[in-house]
Each structure stands twice: as C-alpha cells, then as structure tokens.
C-alpha cells in the first residue's frame, strides 16, 4: 500500500538533510515542502497540532526563538498563539515535519529508528 509522504522543512537544515537522505536511500517517494520559500498556513499547522503539541512543534532551542523578545516568548502559550508565530516565522518550526498519509500521525524531528518504524515494509 503506498502512502503519500510529505516532508516539511528547509533544505539547508542538517536534520532535514538526514531525513531526505534516509527517504531517498530507502526508496520512499516523497514531496518536499520548503516552508521558508513556500510558507505555511494556519490550516496546515492545525493539522500538525492534532498529533504534536505546540511546545514540541515550536523549536525553542533555535536562533529564531532566541531572537524573539522575552515578551513575545511569554505570549506563546497555546495552539492559537503558537500557530500565529509559526505562520509568521516558519523557521521557528522544529524540523523536519513528516506527514506519511494513510492515517499516520504527524512526526517531528528525525531518527533512523522512528523512520524505520513508520515505513516498515511487510516481507
């Protein structure tokens, strides 16, 4: 059964590069959505938030977050405020975001074991 796979991120992010390489080397066809160029919208972010809490999706370790004023950081308290921030500043999203279709939950970040589990193939 084939899945429609979309990987969201920015091309120069090391973790996104690892995820793209893993998908390519495992023969997984996917669409890459560069959200720095193509942007994000609130509807897409809200689909991610069904599976991933906003405080996981917002990368609070990155330079974009660190560049925000303390007042702005303190204002990010729920899905609505986090969504507005992610739409305004897509680079604040923890990367990559993976949607693998077929009812699979949205995943954030990359590690080999997680991707092997998501894309396990029956023998």
């Amino acid at each position: 059964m084939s899945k429609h796979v979309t990987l969201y991120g920015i091309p120069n992010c090391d973790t996104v590069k690892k995820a793209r390489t893993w998908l390519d080397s495992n023969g997984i066809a996917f669409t890459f959505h560069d959200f720095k160029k193509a942007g994000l919208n609130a509807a897409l972010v809200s689909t991610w938030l069904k599976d991933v809490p906003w405080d996981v999706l917002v990368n609070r370790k990155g330079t974009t977050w660190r560049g925000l004023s303390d007042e702005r950081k303190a204002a990010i308290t729920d899905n609505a405020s986090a969504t507005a921030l992610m739409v305004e500043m897509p680079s604040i999203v923890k990367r990559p975001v993976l949607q693998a279709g077929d009812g699979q939950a949205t995943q954030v970040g990359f590690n080999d074991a997680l991707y092997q589990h998501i894309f396990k193939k029956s023998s």
Side-chain angles (χ1 to χ4, degrees):
M1 180 179 250
S2 83
K3 301 176 180 187
H4 179 73
V5 178
T6 305
L7 189 72
Y8 298 87
I10 57 177
N12 63 345
C13 170
D14 287 341
T15 309
V16 170
K17 287 178 187 175
K18 288 176 190 172
R20 291 174 80 175
T21 299
W22 191 97
L23 292 167
D24 283 337
S25 66
N26 284 275
I28 310 291
F30 67 97
T31 302
F32 180 68
H33 179 103
D34 179 346
F35 54 54
K36 215 154 190 184
K37 287 184 181 168
L40 293 176
N41 60 52
L44 177 60
V45 172
S46 72
T47 64
W48 296 346
L49 290 170
K50 290 176 187 170
D51 298 318
V52 181
W54 70 264
D55 58 341
V56 171
L57 205 48
V58 172
N59 182 2
R60 293 183 286 180
K61 293 180 181 170
T63 56
T64 305
W65 177 264
R66 290 194 304 261
L68 296 177
S69 68
D70 289 342
E71 182 179 278
R72 183 79 191 267
K73 291 177 190 173
I76 309 304
T77 58
D78 58 14
N79 281 0
S81 56
T83 298
L85 179 65
M86 289 183 271
V87 169
E88 178 189 341
M89 306 173 119
S91 58
I92 204 142
V93 175
K94 185 170 182 179
R95 304 175 292 268
V97 176
L98 175 76
Q99 287 186 306
D102 293 348
Q104 285 279 345
T106 301
Q107 302 293 329
V108 176
F110 168 77
N111 75 55
D112 188 79
L114 172 67
Y115 275 42
Q116 283 188 37
H117 175 74
I118 292 168
F119 297 104
K120 64 183 174 207
K121 297 177 179 135
S122 32
S123 323

